[in-house]
Amino acid sequence: MMQEAWEFNSKHLKDLDDKDVDQNLVALVENALELPFHWWAPRFETTWFIDLYERKEDKNHLLLELAKVDFNILQGIQQEDLNDTLRWWENTGLRELTFVRDSFIASYLWALGISFQPQYSYCRKVITKAIALIIVIDDIYGTLPELELLTDAITR
């Protein structure tokens, strides 16, 4: 039943004559049809929404400025978190395992999707490390010296 409702709404929204509709609303609908709102990671679309709001004629300039400042502050905090966890990654020695995927940034993005709020910095770091280690363990089909190197890194 939900699938039928989705197909019905999608068809009619795609066929909508957008000449008589607010262009910001058209952009929101097109974006929602591409990927429904409830599937988004909360902060990954922030710049898209800020840009969309900036184009509104009746925008609140203070609210817009606050959104930009909030985004920049949070991005700075998240960059510090990433730098801290990258230093940890470099110190583990796991980069010496040449067969392991280098997907540390992807690990951080997963953590960011789970907890983006500034007060959850420690949580993001721990999740990033856990995902990175899971990826390493998943990639292991190594020789005894490589497995010993991994064991030493995990022990540290």
Side-chain angles (χ1 to χ4, degrees), residues 24-87:
N24 285 332
L25 182 59
V26 170
L28 281 169
V29 168
E30 287 174 352
N31 202 27
L33 287 172
E34 183 178 323
L35 184 66
F37 290 131
H38 64 282
W39 288 358
W40 293 1
R43 291 292 284 210
F44 289 162
E45 294 287 327
T46 303
T47 55
W48 184 84
F49 277 111
I50 288 174
D51 291 341
L52 186 68
Y53 188 76
E54 201 166 24
R55 286 185 257 146
K56 286 182 73 170
E57 291 179 21
D58 62 338
K59 64 183 168 264
N60 180 331
H61 293 283
L62 289 175
L63 182 63
L64 179 62
E65 190 63 30
L66 179 63
K68 288 179 180 180
V69 168
D70 176 67
F71 178 80
N72 289 333
I73 289 171
L74 188 55
Q75 188 177 40
I77 291 169
Q78 292 166 349
Q79 286 172 344
E80 287 176 22
D81 292 348
L82 182 59
N83 286 334
D84 290 347
T85 49
L86 274 171
R87 275 191 293 281

Side-chain angles (χ1 to χ4, degrees), residues 4 19 23 32 35 39 43 59 65 70-71 74 85 91 93 99 105 107 118 128 131-132 137 149-150:
E4 289 176 24
K19 294 176 187 143
Q23 292 305 304
L35 184 66
W39 288 358
R43 291 292 284 210
K59 64 183 168 264
E65 190 63 30
D70 176 67
F71 178 80
L74 188 55
T85 49
N91 291 334
F99 58 88
I105 301 298
S107 301
T128 301
I131 292 172
I137 292 168
L149 181 62
L150 174 66

Side-chain angles (χ1 to χ4, degrees), residues 118-142:
Q119 67 267 28
Y120 298 126
S121 177
Y122 181 74
C123 178
R124 279 191 300 277
K125 292 175 185 178
V126 170
I127 291 171
T128 301
K129 292 173 183 180
I131 292 172
L133 288 174
I134 289 167
I135 290 172
V136 168
I137 292 168
D138 182 56
D139 287 345
I140 292 186
Y141 302 101

